[in-house]
Amino acid sequence: MPPANPFYNSLPAFHARLLTARRILALCGAGLSASSGLPTFRGAGGYWRNHEATALATPEAFAADPGLVWLFYAYRRHMALGARPNAGHRALAELARKGRGRGKGQGEVDFLCLSQNVDGLHQRAGHDAERLRLLHGSLFDLKCHRCDWVERGNFDDPLCDSLRAASEDVGLERLLDPKEELAGIPREELPHCPKCKIGLQRPGVVWFGESLDAEMLREVDRWIDEDEVDVVLVIGTSAVVQPAAGYVYEAQGPGTSIVTVNLDAENVEALAELGPRDFAFAGDAAELLPKLLEPVIGRMKEDGTFGAEE
Ligand code: BJW
């Protein structure tokens, strides 16, 4: 049953609210990339072989079996490289681009997008890096699990010979089938740190129990504290992982509208209670975002770009 709130799925009411918004924050999660073909973390799609994805995203799992964890990440690098940004990523990128100068009479929109996604699709949609914070890092960054070595933007696929199975489209189903036994990858065959030579390279993502980049968090806090945030878009996320989910409430002031955009909007636990200023839209974020943001970014054209029709 839809929540008893007049703003549930009400596009005209949201458009009116958006046109008065000066500062917009978005918190994005895996559901944004679902229609690009990438699985989410929780629920039915949240398994890789017979492992819960969230159980592989831990330093403990890497310490116990770095080869298994690397195969999981090598597979996700491969899938992400083969995926294309969808209309939701492009609409947010356009909001970042257009928001600043949307017309003298209406004033500027200051937009910041916090994404928990590590798949690179925001960047490939052309989202201005200054308007984007990747809270959980990137699949395409590498770091040493022992020292401070970091490499940004490594798109090698396969990353190395021992991870080739995750990058071969033929036979990929065998890798994914939990009934097929997986040959363990010896530690020596995994990529080592070029700096300390002892540590293993690992994905440049944030695992459970690890801290997010402190400077990035300070920047987000500064942006939130600068002035009231009018609209917080909560897009395709279960909003259960901290500190990311906490930003929704950190940004909430007396006049803020929280706008849930989720396939299962009624069941985003942390957001179950809609306040009188809040909105919820149930559906695919890739379909909804271009329509929701249309008053600022313009109508989506047939070629997937935004703006006034010629
Ligand atoms: C669609 C859709 C469509 C589907 N359209 N929608 C305070 C209280 C309690 C615990 C903690 C706390 N502070 C810290 C913690 C511990 C922990 C935590 O939050 N645990 C909770 C689970 C309870 N947090 C941490 O450990 C963080 N570190 C930290 O805080 O350090 C300091 C500290 C440590 C320890 C104690 C205290 C302080 C780090 C968190 C790192 C999370 N890492 C991961 C993996 C990243 C790398 C990788 O990608 O592999 O991040 S876990 C995973 O969850 C990933 C995601 O970014 C994150 C969020 O998931 P997301 O994106 O919301 O996905 P789903 O699957 O949950 O939801 C998808 C949604 O989309 C669903 O709602 C669908 O309905 C919807 N959907 N299709 C629209 N087409």
Side-chain angles (χ1 to χ4, degrees):
M1 282 283 285
N5 179 298
F7 293 158
Y8 188 76
N9 279 342
S10 171
L11 198 58
F14 175 68
H15 281 174
R17 177 70 184 99
L18 187 67
L19 283 169
T20 64
R22 285 185 315 109
R23 302 191 81 228
I24 302 174
L25 183 72
L27 174 70
C28 303
L32 174 62
S33 296
S35 77
S36 293
L38 303 180
T40 59
F41 276 91
R42 294 167 186 81
Y47 276 81
W48 187 78
R49 290 179 58 88
N50 48 353
H51 303 276
E52 280 185 39
T54 48
L56 292 174
T58 65
E60 292 77 15
F62 189 74
D65 191 345
L68 176 74
V69 172
W70 252 127
L71 271 177
F72 169 61
Y73 280 96
Y75 169 73
R76 288 179 55 207
R77 283 167 61 99
H78 178 70
M79 294 300 287
L81 285 172
R84 287 171 41 177
N86 63 50
H89 298 104
R90 293 199 309 274
L92 291 168
E94 190 66 17
L95 181 63
R97 201 168 15 241
K98 274 244 178 78
R100 290 227 141 231
R102 71 166 163 164
K104 294 250 167 359
Q106 292 167 309
E108 289 189 337
V109 175
D110 190 3
F111 171 50
L112 184 65
C113 180
L114 310 180
S115 188
Q116 300 168 88
N117 297 347
V118 295
D119 52 34
L121 295 183
H122 288 285
Q123 301 94 305
R124 284 171 51 204
H127 200 120
D128 177 359
E130 270 193 38
R131 311 269 113 212
L132 178 66
R133 294 293 177 275
L134 301 174
L135 298 177
H136 295 161
S138 165
L139 287 173
F140 304 102
D141 291 347
L142 302 171
K143 55 188 187 185
C144 174
H145 90 296
R146 286 181 67 121
C147 77
D148 61 0
W149 175 81
V150 176
E151 180 186 343
R152 303 222 179 264
N154 176 312
F155 299 97
D156 295 349
D157 184 32
L159 181 63
C160 61
D161 214 42
S162 60
L163 297 172
R164 187 171 290 281
S167 302
E168 309 223 311
D169 289 326
V170 177
L172 207 50
E173 66 283 356
R174 288 187 59 213
L175 174 73
L176 299 179
D177 182 354
K179 291 196 283 301
E180 293 279 345
E181 204 166 321
L182 203 60
I185 303 176
R187 201 186 150 86
E188 313 78 75
E189 290 179 20
L190 290 170
H192 279 67
C193 171
K195 187 175 170 189
C196 72
K197 319 268 191 230
I198 309 165
L200 289 177
Q201 292 183 23
R202 54 158 280 186
V205 299
V206 183
W207 284 330
F208 280 118
E210 295 183 330
S211 298
L212 283 68
D213 182 272
E215 179 48 30
M216 179 179 60
L217 297 187
R218 272 193 294 275
E219 281 171 18
V220 176
D221 287 337
R222 271 199 297 271
W223 187 90
I224 289 175
D225 292 344
E226 240 170 59
D227 204 349
E228 181 163 25
V229 180
D230 302 299
V231 167
V232 180
L233 300 165
V234 187
I235 303 163
T237 176
S238 55
V240 292
V241 171
Q242 300 294 341
Y247 281 119
V248 176
Y249 301 102
E250 195 179 318
Q252 190 178 27
T256 308
S257 295
I258 296 180
V259 185
T260 306
V261 182
N262 196 300
L263 209 50
D264 195 9
E266 295 134 56
N267 291 320
V268 179
E269 215 175 293
L271 305 168
E273 304 264 320
L274 286 184
R277 287 187 180 75
D278 300 337
F279 296 82
F281 293 90
D284 177 11
E287 279 181 31
L288 285 169
L289 284 170
K291 293 181 192 146
L292 289 170
L293 301 177
E294 195 177 299
V296 179
I297 66 176
R299 187 176 291 247
M300 187 166 75
K301 293 186 269 189
E302 263 182 24
D303 64 0
T305 61
F306 296 89
E309 297 290 344
E310 307 281 295

